[in-house]
Amino acid sequence: MSITYNEKERSFKLRANNTDYMFKVINGEYLGHVYYGRKVPDEDMDWLLRFDESPFTPEKNNRDRAVYLDTTPFEYPCFGIGDYRESALKILDSDGMSTCDLRYVSHRIFDGKPALEGMPATFATEKSPAQTLEVTMKDAHTGLEAVLVYSVFENLDVITRSVRFKNTSDKPIKLTRALSACVEFDTDKFDMITLNGSWARERHIERAPLHHGKQSIDSCRGESSHQNNPFAALCDRNADEDMGEVFGFNFVYSGNFVAQAEVTQHKKTRFVMGINPLDFEWLLDAGETFTAPEVVMVHSDEGIGKMSRIFHDLYRENLIRGEYKDKRRPILINNWEATYFDFNTDKLIDIAKEASKLGIEMLVMDDGWFGHRDYDNSSLGDWFVYEKKLQGGLKHLVDEVNKLGMKFGIWFEPEMVSPDSDLYRAHPDWAIQIKGRDMTLCREQYVLDYSRKEVRDYVYSMIKNILDNANIEYIKWDMNRQLTEVGSAALPPERQRELWHRYVLGVYDLMGRLTTDYPHILLENCSGGGARFDPGMLYFSPQIWCSDDTDAIERLKIQHGTSICYPCSAMGAHISDCPNHLLNRNTPFKTRGHVAMVGTFGYELDVTRIPQEDRDMIPAQIEEFKKYNPLVRTGEHFRIGNMFEDNTWDAWMFVANDKSEALFEFVQVMARPNYRSRRIKLKGLDPDAYYYEESEPDKLMSGAALMNAGINCAKIWGVDGIKGDYSSKILHFVRK
Ligand code: DGJ
C-alpha cells in the first residue's frame, strides 16, 4: 500500500518509492501538512505531527485563533479566515463575500488513478501503477465542496495533485482562485529553479535563492508561454546535478498558470501552483462542478539530474500515449526553413526526391498550402488547398511522395483565423473579442473562440476533409499568437472570465477528437516554436517543436533547459541550413546532426541546394541516429556540461537502463589553446562493470574509473580528436 490512513492519529501517509508525504486532520477538522521528503519510519509519525506545539492548538488557544491559522502548515489554504499567506482558494459567494473555510468531511483510498474530465493528466499503467486518495472537504457556510485528489506512483518518486469542486448549495458560488496544489516546507533555505526565456530562446534555466516575500513565475497569455514554463523546483542551496534534495513541480496544463514560493514571517516556505487567478473566475450554479488541472510533484534526494530522470520516466510511461509512444519517429524533412511560403508541388517533389534517396522518411509541408496564403497575412481558417501552389491537388502531391517511399505530413494552425479569410468574413463573431473594442492583431491574425462547440466543429470538419482525402501520417499543430481582448460572443457576462480556461478545454477537446479518430497520425505540437512545451500538450502529442531557434549552439541551452523536466525523446529537433537564418552563425553539419540527435531528429533545409559535402553526410548521419535513437528514447539522460555556467563546451549522456551501453556526446563551443590533461567524469554507468569505447574494443575501462576519474579528454580533442569552434564528438561505451 503506498497510501495509508492511521485511524488513531487521523493521519495520511503517501509513500512514493523513496519519498514520504504526510498530512493529517487536525483540531477543528482542518487538514494540516506534516512532512514531505525522504522516507521516514512509520513510528516517527506521532512526534512529527507536532500539532500540540503552540500555536497549533486552537481549542486551547481560541483567543489567538488567527495566529494559529496564519502559522499552521495547511494542505489547501483558504482565503479570508486569518491565514494571510498565499491561499489556494478564494470565492465570491451569493452575498458577495470572499471568505471560505474548508474542513475535513471524509476520505477514500483506492487503486488506480482516475482521469480528469476534459483535461490531460498522468495515468497508471501495469508497469507503473498508482494509488489514489481523495479527501472531501466542505465549507459549511456556502456549501462549497472540494475533493483534494492525491495519486501516488509507487515505483517513482511522484505524487500528483488536483482538486474537484462542487456547489452543493442552491445558490451560485464563484471561484475566483482555485489552485491545484499547496505544499508547505519547514525551511526557507531553498533555491528556486525556473525555465524562462522568450521566442527563440525558450526554457533557459534560472536559479535564485528564496527570500522573504513571494517569488513567482506565471503566464497570462492564454498559453503556457515562451516566457515562463509551468515548471518550478525548490532545491537545497547546495544541490547540484548529482546531490541534494530537490522538489520539482510541473503543471499539466497549457494555459495561464502561476507557480509561486512564499517565504513567510517564520522563515518557512509555502509553494502553490495552479491556474493563474489573474482574470480567472468560474461560476458554479447549484450542483455544478469544476476541476482544477493536475500538478505533478517529483522529489529527488540525488540532485536535479535524478529529478529530471523521474520526470522523464513518468512522462514516457504515464503521460505520452498513442502508437508512437514507444516507437522511433520517422526521420522527416520540413520545408519551412527551406522555402518559407515560396513553394509549389514541383518544388516539394524535388525536395522529396532528393530526401528519399538519402534515407529521409517523411516530407512535412509546413505553413502556406491553404486558402490563398502567400505570406502570413491571410487564409488561416480556410483549410482548403491553395491550387495555385499545389497544382494537381493535395492527393496528387501526397501520392507522389508516397511513391518515393516517404510518408507525408502537413501543418495546421487550427485555433487561428486571418481577417483576410472566408471564415472570418462569414463569422466575424467567432474570433475572441470584446464587442465594440478594437481587436489587437498579432502576426496578422485573431484567435478563434474555442469555447464554442460550433467553432470547433467547423474547424474539425475542414481538417477532416483534408485528412480523409489524402494519406496523411503526421500533423504539426501550430499556435502563433497569444490572447487579447478576451471576450466571447457566446458567453453571458457572469461567465466571460471563464473564457481563458474554456479556451484551453476547447483545444483539448479538439486534440482529443483528432487523436482518437486518427490514431495512426503522429501529432507534433508547436507554438511559435516552443511556447506550449508543457505536459498538457505531451498528453496529446508525443513530441513538441522545441524552438524556432534551430542553431545548434543555441539549441544546447534550449535542449538542456527543456530536459530539466521533459524527456529528450519528445523534443522536436532538426538540422537546418547555414548560415543559420536567425543568427547568421555557421556550424558544421556534423555538429548540427549530433545536437538534433538528442531529440526527434529531422531536417529543415532545402536538401537540393545544400553543399554536396553536407548532402553526402546525410546517409551516415541517419544511420548514426537510428543506431542511437533507442538509447535516447528509453535510456537515462545525464547532463554533464552546463552552458549556463560555462559556455565553452557542453556534454551529455544517454545510458541504457540495464547499463549495458552509453552514448556520450560532446560539443566544443569555443576551442581553447593549450588545454591539456583534463578529464570529464561520466555518469550513470555500472561502477563494477568494464566498458570499452566502440572505436577501441580491446581497451577496457572500469565504470568506476570512467565515473570517478573520468575519460581523458585527449580522446575528444587530442591528436585525432575534434578541432575548432562548434565541433562535436560522440563516444559509444559498451559493457564487456
Ligand atoms: C512557427 C513554427 O514554430 C515554425 O516552425 C513554422 O511552422 C511557422 N510557425 C509557420 O508559420
Side-chain angles (χ1 to χ4, degrees):
M1 285 288 273
S2 35
I3 303 177
T4 47
Y5 176 63
N6 180 324
E7 187 76 55
K8 191 168 141 263
E9 300 285 1
R10 304 183 77 198
S11 62
F12 299 91
K13 184 164 186 171
L14 283 56
R15 174 158 292 174
N17 200 27
N18 292 311
T19 300
D20 278 349
Y21 185 100
M22 301 185 233
F23 57 94
K24 99 176 221 83
V25 183
I26 54 177
N27 297 321
E29 304 302 288
Y30 294 104
L31 214 53
H33 178 79
V34 176
Y35 172 78
Y36 183 26
R38 294 181 175 98
K39 266 198 296 205
V40 293
D42 285 349
E43 51 275 21
D44 289 321
M45 183 79 162
D46 55 345
W47 65 266
L48 274 173
L49 299 177
R50 62 158 180 199
F51 287 107
D52 52 354
E53 183 186 310
S54 172
F56 301 152
T57 50
E59 83 286 19
K60 288 185 204 151
N61 189 14
N62 206 23
R63 64 182 284 274
D64 274 332
R65 198 173 183 81
V67 178
Y68 161 72
L69 291 167
D70 198 27
T71 323
T72 300
F74 283 118
E75 276 303 300
Y76 198 72
C78 301
F79 180 82
I81 53 173
D83 178 353
Y84 298 100
R85 298 161 292 178
E86 197 71 13
S87 52
L89 178 65
K90 187 163 177 273
I91 63 167
L92 210 52
D93 70 18
S94 55
D95 298 323
M97 302 303 162
S98 55
T99 292
C100 190
D101 189 356
L102 292 176
R103 311 286 183 105
Y104 171 85
V105 177
S106 63
H107 74 268
R108 68 184 187 115
I109 297 170
F110 54 94
D111 287 339
K113 183 174 187 293
L116 295 193
E117 206 191 326
M119 271 187 298
T122 54
F123 47 82
T125 64
E126 209 173 307
K127 194 168 139 202
S128 179
Q131 209 176 37
T132 298
L133 162 67
E134 292 188 347
V135 185
T136 300
M137 320 243 332
K138 193 164 182 173
D139 176 36
H141 186 78
T142 58
L144 180 67
E145 185 183 273
V147 180
L148 311 188
V149 186
Y150 301 78
S151 292
V152 176
F153 285 89
E154 59 199 48
N155 302 332
L156 298 165
D157 295 80
V158 173
I159 296 169
T160 62
R161 306 266 305 260
S162 65
V163 187
R164 283 198 314 269
F165 297 94
K166 184 172 183 182
N167 180 357
T168 66
S169 78
D170 53 6
K171 292 186 188 138
I173 304 171
K174 256 191 185 176
L175 304 175
T176 57
R177 175 185 187 88
L179 303 189
S180 300
C182 168
V183 184
E184 307 257 20
F185 297 92
D186 273 308
T187 179
D188 65 334
K189 297 285 175 288
F190 277 137
D191 282 355
M192 182 158 159
I193 301 172
T194 52
L195 304 175
N196 316 103
S198 183
W199 173 75
R201 49 184 167 79
E202 296 90 343
R203 291 173 299 287
H204 281 208
I205 298 174
E206 300 236 342
R207 178 171 175 165
L210 293 187
H211 51 80
H212 263 125
K214 298 172 184 178
Q215 291 117 90
S216 68
I217 51 151
D218 72 352
S219 165
C220 54
R221 296 166 184 269
E223 59 178 2
S224 42
S225 90
H226 295 96
Q227 287 73 12
N228 296 313
N229 195 264
F231 164 84
L234 299 177
C235 64
D236 289 346
R237 292 264 162 91
N238 62 353
D240 63 14
E241 277 294 302
D242 307 304
M243 50 157 261
E245 206 166 16
V246 187
F247 300 88
F249 304 90
N250 202 190
F251 197 31
V252 188
Y253 190 61
S254 312
N256 294 349
F257 75 92
V258 66
Q260 182 177 286
E262 177 185 11
V263 175
T264 68
Q265 56 182 326
H266 300 295
K267 289 188 172 271
K268 295 173 174 213
T269 303
R270 172 177 281 183
F271 181 84
V272 293
M273 188 176 240
I275 291 181
N276 196 339
L278 181 68
D279 209 29
F280 166 84
E281 283 182 4
W282 198 273
L283 174 64
L284 292 176
D285 275 328
E288 285 186 342
T289 60
F290 176 83
T291 304
E294 176 165 291
V295 168
V296 172
M297 313 197 303
V298 169
H299 167 244
S300 158
D301 56 354
E302 286 172 35
I304 302 160
K306 183 174 168 191
M307 174 199 72
S308 300
R309 288 186 290 280
I310 296 169
F311 272 118
H312 299 173
D313 285 347
L314 178 79
Y315 289 168
R316 291 191 295 199
E317 174 63 19
N318 301 97
L319 181 67
I320 290 173
R321 306 170 301 158
E323 285 181 14
Y324 281 96
K325 174 176 173 162
D326 298 316
K327 273 213 293 224
R328 177 175 76 71
R329 319 286 156 72
I331 298 159
L332 63 81
I333 184 158
N334 176 303
N335 76 308
W336 179 240
E337 287 195 31
T339 66
Y340 295 104
F341 293 103
D342 186 16
F343 64 88
N344 58 25
T345 302
D346 290 345
K347 177 73 223 168
L348 293 177
I349 291 177
D350 280 353
I351 292 178
K353 274 189 181 147
E354 190 60 37
S356 66
K357 279 192 240 156
L358 299 167
I360 296 171
E361 299 163 332
M362 178 161 74
L363 176 78
V364 174
M365 178 173 66
D366 210 280
D367 192 356
W369 58 267
F370 49 90
H372 61 273
R373 188 148 163 111
D374 286 314
Y375 194 57
D376 66 9
N377 57 359
S378 84
S379 307
L380 293 168
D382 293 347
W383 302 111
F384 48 81
V385 169
Y386 188 11
E387 299 279 350
K388 189 182 108 188
K389 282 190 189 178
L390 298 193
Q391 309 91 344
L394 180 63
K395 183 165 169 17
H396 163 69
L397 170 63
V398 177
D399 288 347
E400 289 304 305
V401 170
N402 285 168
K403 273 188 217 157
L404 295 167
M406 293 175 84
K407 296 177 191 294
F408 188 89
I410 196 167
W411 179 98
F412 286 101
E413 197 177 357
E415 298 154 70
M416 298 294 151
V417 63
S418 306
D420 176 11
S421 65
D422 293 351
L423 176 60
Y424 187 72
R425 280 182 285 271
H427 298 285
D429 65 311
W430 282 12
I432 286 182
Q433 61 195 283
I434 298 173
K435 208 171 167 208
R437 275 192 191 278
D438 282 350
M439 294 163 73
T440 303
L441 267 179
C442 182
R443 211 199 190 207
E444 301 261 11
Q445 62 202 53
Y446 299 135
V447 184
L448 285 171
D449 181 355
Y450 259 42
S451 71
R452 295 173 70 169
K453 185 164 181 307
E454 68 273 29
V455 174
R456 304 197 299 271
D457 287 349
Y458 174 81
V459 174
Y460 192 51
S461 68
M462 301 285 281
I463 293 177
K464 250 180 113 38
N465 200 30
I466 295 290
L467 300 181
D468 292 343
N469 284 299
N471 182 27
I472 288 166
E473 297 179 77
Y474 163 107
I475 290 174
K476 178 172 170 186
W477 178 312
D478 205 348
M479 194 268 192
N480 282 301
R481 68 156 286 180
Q482 294 90 41
L483 277 55
T484 55
E485 295 92 26
V486 175
S488 167
L491 290 172
E494 66 277 16
R495 289 203 182 269
Q496 283 293 341
R497 305 316 339 120
E498 297 175 13
L499 183 53
W500 293 102
H501 182 57
R502 286 185 184 273
Y503 176 80
V504 178
L505 293 180
V507 171
Y508 289 151
D509 171 63
L510 206 59
M511 273 188 202
R513 275 201 248 174
L514 182 66
T515 47
T516 306
D517 294 350
Y518 299 93
H520 70 283
I521 291 184
L522 171 59
L523 183 64
E524 175 157 352
N525 259 290
C526 170
S527 179
R532 268 204 314 212
F533 209 117
D534 61 60
M537 288 289 127
L538 274 186
Y539 181 75
F540 296 99
S541 64
Q543 58 195 59
I544 302 176
W545 185 229
C546 224
S547 176
D548 277 347
D549 197 333
T550 53
D551 172 72
I553 302 306
E554 287 299 306
R555 274 291 180 125
L556 294 175
K557 282 188 177 163
I558 295 169
Q559 294 178 182
H560 180 119
T562 305
S563 78
I564 286 287
C565 58
Y566 304 107
C568 297
S569 51
M571 293 184 200
H574 299 166
I575 298 170
S576 64
D577 207 357
C578 272
N580 179 268
H581 294 188
L582 278 181
L583 295 152
N584 221 30
R585 181 181 284 145
N586 282 298
T587 49
F589 203 69
K590 181 177 154 200
T591 304
R592 281 176 264 159
H594 284 161
V595 175
M597 241 166 62
V598 173
T600 56
F601 195 76
Y603 295 83
E604 185 151 341
L605 38 71
D606 184 347
V607 75
T608 67
R609 294 171 65 173
I610 57 172
Q612 187 62 41
E613 59 186 293
D614 288 355
R615 197 165 29 234
D616 290 346
M617 287 172 69
I618 291 179
Q621 206 166 40
I622 285 178
E623 284 320 303
E624 193 171 57
F625 162 73
K626 287 184 183 163
K627 176 175 170 187
Y628 296 122
N629 182 253
L631 266 177
V632 173
R633 273 188 302 109
T634 65
E636 291 196 294
H637 178 56
F638 293 86
R639 291 177 292 262
I640 295 178
N642 184 346
M643 286 278 286
F644 298 99
E645 285 168 7
D646 176 355
N647 63 9
T648 60
W649 66 282
D650 200 2
W652 58 90
M653 289 178 74
F654 293 95
V655 181
N657 291 309
D658 65 1
K659 305 198 180 292
S660 58
E661 56 170 332
L663 172 68
F664 170 82
E665 299 195 51
F666 179 90
V667 178
Q668 173 165 279
V669 178
M670 296 293 283
R672 287 163 293 177
N674 198 15
Y675 219 65
R676 300 186 207 176
S677 290
R678 296 181 65 84
R679 290 187 178 131
I680 293 181
K681 292 180 183 180
L682 302 191
K683 297 183 184 181
L685 302 174
D686 175 356
D688 300 323
Y690 279 82
Y691 293 85
Y692 60 89
E693 201 283 307
E694 205 178 78
S695 62
E696 292 178 301
D698 297 331
K699 188 171 165 191
L700 289 187
M701 298 164 278
S702 73
L706 287 168
M707 292 193 293
N708 299 332
I711 51 164
N712 192 341
C713 287
K715 194 113 195 83
I716 303 168
W717 61 72
V719 188
D720 306 321
I722 56 177
K723 305 264 181 304
D725 297 347
Y726 312 139
S727 48
S728 66
K729 172 103 177 169
I730 63 175
L731 299 172
H732 183 209
F733 293 89
V734 182
R735 188 169 60 197
K736 179 77 182 161

